[in-house]
Amino acid sequence: MLRPSDTLNKSRVKTVAITETTVGSIALIGLNQLWYADYPRSNFHFINDNAEWLQMDKMGHVFSSYQLGSIGANSLKWSGVSRKKQLIYGATLGLAFMTTVEVFDGYSANWGASMGDVVANVSGTALYVSQELLWEEQRVVPKFSFHTTPYAARRPNVLGSTFQEQLLKDYNGQTYWLSANLYSFIKSTSIPKWLNVAVGYGAEGMITGTDEFVNTIFLPETKRYRQFYLSIDVDLTKINTKSHFVKTVLTVFNTLKIPAPAFELRGDGGSKMHLVYF
């Protein structure tokens, strides 16, 4: 990260507060205009969408809440804020942002607030905070990878018509990982400090949220199944460098799982070895 302040730097705290408020507000306004503005509003309500998309959307909530919380905590660390306040006011940034999005969902007639999403948001924040309290470091980090799939072309209005849209909407191409740093657990000089092992979760064959909607919208039926992966990874934050700027860049890219060999075990009973998977 950028060089942290040894003592409380009020100027930096102010900069962080203004930046996060501004960026967060712009993001929420933009989300409202792009996602919700064209759909009718309703009274606040909950829905149960826990069975949809084979829970891939819930994995996205865990990932987003964790990563936004990590940004919030590290920003306050840069400002010289105490570790306790980093966790209270910084690590909860993701939970606060994602909860606001959930409120938007709750007032939309086409969606609804989801307790499953709330649990996923809390889980992502808890994953960050618990590791800081237990080890004072992040040994297990949620990561993300993506590849395009043919499913988006069958329903581009939902799964995306451009790469940018598919990156967010096509759950078939998304994989969420838990990447664990081996050296942090084993402390052996024979293990590179940057070497990680990663377990991943994905799903495929989805053009609708659940099978029951396939016939009602006249789409060809597909066989949906879960995917579980085992792969190697790199903890970019463990790469030695004296540059705090480079450390910051590596921290940003550490949210992505590197392309690497991976073993895939499928929920339909199949398996596959990928020479390179992303």
Side-chain angles (χ1 to χ4, degrees):
M1 347 185 278
L2 295 175
R3 184 186 297 275
S5 176
D6 295 329
T7 58
L8 180 63
N9 187 316
K10 293 184 178 180
S11 177
R12 288 187 179 185
V13 172
K14 184 177 180 180
T15 298
V16 168
I18 293 175
T19 301
E20 290 182 353
T21 301
T22 301
V23 173
S25 298
I26 292 174
L28 290 172
I29 292 172
L31 179 65
N32 181 67
Q33 291 301 116
L34 294 173
W35 196 272
Y36 301 99
D38 295 332
Y39 297 97
R41 306 289 185 180
S42 69
N43 292 329
F44 186 83
H45 64 288
F46 282 92
I47 61 170
N48 184 352
D49 63 349
N50 293 334
E52 294 188 10
W53 303 110
L54 294 179
Q55 295 78 51
M56 284 297 293
D57 57 323
K58 303 299 181 280
M59 298 299 103
H61 279 264
V62 173
F63 172 83
S64 299
S65 183
Y66 175 96
Q67 295 296 348
L68 288 173
S70 176
I71 292 172
N74 283 317
S75 296
L76 291 184
K77 182 177 181 179
W78 171 73
S79 304
V81 172
S82 69
R83 184 167 167 273
K84 179 179 178 180
K85 291 184 178 180
Q86 289 173 31
L87 297 181
I88 295 175
Y89 302 112
T92 55
L93 174 65
L95 180 59
F97 182 86
M98 299 300 290
T99 298
T100 304
V101 173
E102 210 59 41
V103 172
F104 283 5
D105 280 347
Y107 281 106
S108 175
N110 283 51
W111 291 278
S114 164
M115 284 306 300
D117 289 353
V118 173
V119 170
N121 296 337
V122 172
S123 298
T125 300
L127 179 60
Y128 183 91
V129 173
S130 61
Q131 292 188 83
E132 287 296 318
L133 293 176
L134 185 60
W135 300 312
E136 297 188 7
E137 64 175 346
Q138 297 297 301
R139 297 184 180 184
V140 180
V141 177
K143 294 192 177 187
F144 175 81
S145 65
F146 177 79
H147 59 271
T148 57
T149 75
Y151 300 100
R154 300 173 68 174
R155 203 180 179 200
N157 60 315
V158 172
L159 301 181
S161 57
T162 65
F163 177 82
Q164 291 82 359
E165 290 180 347
Q166 293 169 20
L167 183 67
L168 297 175
K169 296 181 178 181
D170 186 4
Y171 294 122
N172 299 283
Q174 298 177 359
T175 307
Y176 291 97
W177 304 82
L178 284 178
S179 184
N181 183 253
L182 293 178
Y183 182 83
S184 295
F185 287 101
I186 301 175
K187 303 295 184 184
S188 171
T189 56
S190 62
I191 298 176
K193 292 184 178 181
W194 46 262
L195 181 62
N196 281 24
V197 61
V199 292
Y201 176 72
E204 198 161 317
M206 302 176 294
I207 51 178
T208 59
T210 60
D211 284 328
E212 64 182 282
F213 297 125
V214 173
N215 293 330
T216 60
I217 60 175
F218 305 104
L219 285 172
E221 187 175 0
T222 58
K223 184 178 180 181
R224 60 183 67 209
Y225 55 86
R226 304 176 192 276
Q227 299 161 305
F228 304 92
Y229 298 92
L230 179 65
S231 182
I232 59 172
D233 191 29
V234 172
D235 186 342
L236 297 178
T237 66
K238 295 294 192 295
I239 296 177
N240 287 328
T241 175
K242 294 181 179 180
S243 170
H244 286 275
F245 174 77
V246 173
K247 287 182 180 179
T248 301
V249 173
L250 291 175
T251 298
V252 171
F253 281 98
N254 203 49
T255 59
L256 303 177
K257 164 73 170 62
I258 67 165
F263 176 72
E264 173 189 351
L265 184 64
R266 301 192 331 198
D268 63 357
S271 62
K272 183 178 181 179
M273 185 68 200
H274 299 267
L275 291 179
V276 178
Y277 180 84
F278 188 69

